[in-house]
Amino acid sequence: MKLEFFKNIQFTKLIKAEGRLREFNFRNHLSPVNKDICSINVTDDRGNRIIFEMQKQESGWKITQSKLPMWIMENENNFQEVIEEELK
């Protein structure tokens, strides 16, 4: 029986979105299957958790879902910078 261990990176960053600081939780699985996917979650003003993913592409990290609040979509570049900084 062969055991394989994969590194799991989790971190939290405060990012200003929609005029206030919000806590974004990032999770990146460094496994052969999910190496280019980062899961992100944040709460909205009502306390509802919003979960979405970013996938690494040739041009950088891009949000894969389309029906997200505009304040999330507007911060795609900020998320990309945070992910790249943490994975160095």
Side-chain angles (χ1 to χ4, degrees):
M1 182 167 83
K2 182 179 177 184
L3 290 177
E4 292 186 51
F5 294 95
F6 302 109
K7 192 173 185 180
N8 183 24
I9 298 175
Q10 294 179 322
F11 58 96
T12 299
K13 292 290 183 178
L14 291 174
I15 297 174
K16 192 168 188 174
E18 201 174 47
R20 59 176 232 165
L21 284 177
R22 295 180 186 265
E23 183 178 286
F24 288 86
N25 303 299
F26 296 79
R27 184 173 180 202
N28 192 334
H29 303 276
L30 295 180
S31 69
V33 177
N34 294 327
K35 68 178 181 178
D36 293 333
I37 296 177
C38 184
S39 175
I40 304 170
N41 70 72
V42 63
T43 57
D44 65 8
D45 292 334
R46 294 183 173 185
N48 299 316
R49 180 117 350 236
I50 300 171
I51 301 170
F52 60 99
E53 291 182 341
M54 292 187 76
Q55 185 170 21
K56 188 170 187 177
Q57 300 174 355
E58 290 180 12
S59 59
W61 291 87
K62 299 293 178 188
I63 296 174
T64 59
Q65 288 89 339
S66 59
K67 294 184 179 182
L68 292 171
M70 190 52 110
W71 55 269
I72 290 178
M73 301 301 285
E74 290 172 348
N75 278 289
E76 185 175 56
N77 289 336
N78 291 334
F79 303 144
Q80 178 176 320
E81 290 174 15
V82 167
I83 293 169
E84 288 295 332
E85 177 183 311
E86 196 67 32
L87 294 180
K88 284 183 185 178

